[in-house]
Amino acid sequence: MRLPPAILANAEEVLREILRFAAPADTTLSRYFKDHPRLGGRERGGIAECIYNVLRNKSFYTDFSEAGGGATMRRLTLLGMADAVGVESLGGLSEEEVAWVERILAIDRKVMHKSMRSNMPKWLFDKLVEQMGEEETLLLADGVNTPAPLDLRVNSMKATREAVAEELALAPIRSTPTPFSPLGLRVLQKPALQNLPLFKSGAIEVQDEGSQVLSAIVGAKRGEMVVDFCAGAGGKTLALGAIMRNTGRLYAFDVSEKRLAKLKPRLARSGLSNVHPVQIAHERDAKIKRLAGKIDRVLVDAPCSGLGTLRRNPDVKWRQKPDSIGELQVKQAAILDGAARLLKGGGRLVYATCSFLDDENDFIAKQFLDTHPDFDLVPMSKVLAEQKIDLEMGDYLKLLPHKHQTDGFFAAVFERKPMAKKVVVKDEDEAVEE
């Protein structure tokens, strides 16, 4: 069954707006669908796939769309749509358009110039080549230009991975266990999860396996005091709460009331009662100061470029600018410094980003150690062994789409040295340790 000819006009209209890069693509797309309620599920799916195809392959598509006759934007949309659903599924095309699309999509991209094959802006391609070499950069580019699978985290407070897999199979939804996270399932299609009893009951949450691994390396234990310093909508918070078996006290800090509001329905489904969402004004908020020196574990999933999520958010590479990385570094260092004050002696601090740029990762970790002599680096190899996670890493966690089939993640673990005991002088003859 062919898609109606009008779908190309719809896709072109929303693509034109998205390519202004004034807002995230998923936000613009969601608003467009809300404004066009007559579009059916199949039409929406086709438009969305077209948009994300164009964003992933923008350099390649644009180069050929600007050559030849016809409107560039229509040709760009046509390539994205045909690549997504197949040219035979599109109605209303001329013979010339069909022939042109088939010719372009048949091109072997491996023979093209490397920067075009990567479908990355030049500044990002050059930075990655400098960091990891040309061959590895092209492998990474292939990885991030492939759509991400759908990963689920099983809520261990409510179900086991085996039981969830069996119930999904009855839906029928095929899944396979994730290799690194003991609670992860990778779904082989993209069903409407919100209608499943498993989802409604809080037995499953959508969470990339890399994010699940990140939650695990925090090493949170029953009865501890733990802080998720940049909690956002709370995916890692919920994972931490379950790891803690709903004991202790888990603070979910964030500066955004809107993001924390998204945590509330998820928290209600999860069955957790040890989570305490707290809105803070900044990393030096008085609410943080009151907890200084009292916390066992702190996770700082810092604001970053988001380049590690390119499989899901391909527009990020076009919206991100090279000068913004320097601005982010200042923010990352300040947040990490503020969070470090929370730790008691022997407590652990985890710094993480969803980026694969050394500027946001290794650089910030080394800078922190240079400026905080009261903290030591805990090698990631040791941390992963403690959590029985079968991953080979050195000092840091570095997950990459083309190597681990996860989003791009970085993490460093720091441990605060035992704090010196204060000596309180009560009188001239008596001194007491506190």
Side-chain angles (χ1 to χ4, degrees):
M1 183 178 174
R2 288 190 169 190
L3 289 166
I7 194 173
L8 275 173
N10 289 118
E12 183 179 338
E13 183 181 8
V14 69
L15 179 62
R16 194 181 300 275
E17 184 177 352
I18 283 171
L19 290 181
R20 295 190 182 104
F21 299 117
D26 57 350
T27 302
T28 303
L29 200 55
S30 178
R31 187 176 67 245
Y32 185 84
F33 288 152
K34 188 176 180 180
D35 293 343
H36 294 77
R38 292 187 179 182
L39 288 169
R42 187 161 176 258
E43 286 84 358
R44 291 179 182 218
I47 292 169
E49 286 299 317
C50 167
I51 297 303
Y52 283 100
N53 253 344
V54 172
L55 292 169
R56 287 189 184 99
N57 300 282
K58 182 170 167 284
S59 296
F60 175 73
Y61 288 171
T62 300
D63 192 63
F64 288 97
S65 298
E66 291 175 347
T72 298
M73 190 59 70
R74 176 176 169 82
R75 290 159 74 87
L76 189 60
T77 308
L78 187 51
L79 281 175
M81 187 69 79
D83 209 355
V85 303
V87 68
E88 67 282 352
S89 298
L90 299 175
L93 302 186
S94 67
E95 289 183 9
E96 290 80 5
E97 284 180 317
V98 172
W100 176 77
V101 166
E102 290 178 341
R103 187 171 69 253
I104 300 305
L105 294 184
I107 292 172
D108 182 1
R109 303 189 195 185
K110 290 183 180 178
V111 303
M112 302 180 66
H113 187 275
K114 292 178 175 63
S115 62
M116 181 179 290
R117 178 185 150 192
S118 76
N119 273 289
M120 291 180 177
K122 188 176 185 304
W123 74 267
L124 179 57
F125 179 77
D126 290 346
K127 182 176 280 290
L128 288 171
V129 168
E130 182 182 348
Q131 179 178 310
M132 61 178 66
E134 192 175 83
E135 183 179 351
E136 191 75 10
T137 298
L138 289 172
L139 290 172
L140 174 61
D142 290 342
V144 299
N145 287 329
T146 302
L150 177 64
D151 288 354
L152 305 177
R153 177 184 61 80
V154 175
N155 180 355
S156 59
M157 298 296 297
K158 296 200 169 189
T160 64
R161 179 159 71 171
E162 294 73 22
V164 168
E166 288 175 10
E167 192 166 337
L168 286 173
L170 296 174
I173 297 170
R174 294 168 58 211
S175 66
T176 183
T178 51
F180 310 123
S181 169
L183 295 172
L185 285 169
R186 185 154 292 154
V187 176
L188 307 179
Q189 64 259 58
K190 296 192 177 178
L193 290 175
Q194 64 272 19
N195 299 323
L196 293 177
L198 280 170
F199 182 81
K200 292 178 179 178
S201 70
I204 56 172
E205 278 281 341
V206 175
Q207 188 175 33
D208 181 77
E209 185 185 17
S211 184
Q212 295 181 43
V213 169
L214 181 55
S215 303
I217 66 171
V218 174
K221 297 176 182 175
R222 295 182 186 220
E224 288 187 332
M225 290 183 70
V226 179
V227 171
D228 187 352
F229 203 80
C230 305
K236 296 178 190 69
T237 307
L238 298 178
L240 289 169
I243 290 169
M244 295 167 69
R245 304 304 296 169
N246 203 22
T247 64
R249 198 167 182 86
L250 174 56
Y251 293 96
F253 287 165
D254 205 275
V255 295
S256 169
E257 182 181 5
K258 189 175 180 181
R259 284 196 293 265
L260 287 176
K262 291 180 180 178
L263 168 60
K264 289 182 180 178
R266 302 173 75 186
L267 184 56
R269 285 197 307 270
S270 74
L272 295 172
S273 57
N274 65 335
V275 177
H276 303 272
V278 180
Q279 185 183 0
I280 57 174
H282 44 72
E283 65 273 6
R284 299 282 181 165
D285 195 298
K287 296 169 188 172
I288 299 169
K289 190 175 181 181
R290 286 196 289 269
L291 293 171
K294 298 177 181 177
I295 304 299
D296 296 287
R297 319 259 170 177
V298 178
L299 169 61
V300 177
D301 186 8
C304 66
S305 64
L307 290 166
T309 68
L310 287 180
R311 298 183 307 165
R312 305 168 198 283
N313 306 302
D315 56 311
V316 168
K317 62 186 172 185
W318 307 114
R319 290 194 295 112
Q320 201 61 259
K321 303 299 179 189
D323 55 0
S324 65
I325 304 301
E327 296 169 11
L328 283 165
Q329 285 179 318
V330 174
K331 187 180 293 187
Q332 289 156 354
I335 291 173
L336 192 52
D337 179 67
R341 297 165 186 267
L342 291 166
L343 273 300
K344 60 171 63 170
R348 285 192 178 180
L349 171 64
V350 179
Y351 171 73
T353 72
C354 51
S355 173
F356 34 66
L357 294 183
D358 285 351
D359 291 351
E360 302 182 83
N361 299 335
D362 307 52
F363 176 83
I364 298 296
K366 290 169 184 172
Q367 183 185 66
F368 177 79
L369 287 169
D370 288 343
T371 54
H372 294 77
D374 52 334
F375 280 86
D376 288 322
L377 179 73
V378 184
M380 190 56 60
S381 54
K382 178 184 176 183
V383 176
L384 291 167
E386 288 172 352
Q387 299 305 318
K388 298 179 173 60
I389 296 173
D390 187 18
L391 265 169
E392 288 190 17
M393 295 284 163
D395 284 344
Y396 305 124
L397 180 75
K398 293 188 177 185
L399 295 175
L400 295 167
H402 66 293
K403 286 186 175 180
H404 308 103
Q405 286 70 57
T406 67
D407 285 348
F409 277 103
F410 169 89
V413 178
F414 311 103
E415 186 169 289
R416 189 164 205 171
K417 296 174 184 176
M419 294 169 135
K421 293 181 178 179
K422 294 179 182 177
V423 177
V424 180
V425 179
K426 291 191 173 181
D427 55 46
E428 291 182 3
D429 301 318
E430 186 180 7
V432 179
E433 285 188 350
E434 274 193 348

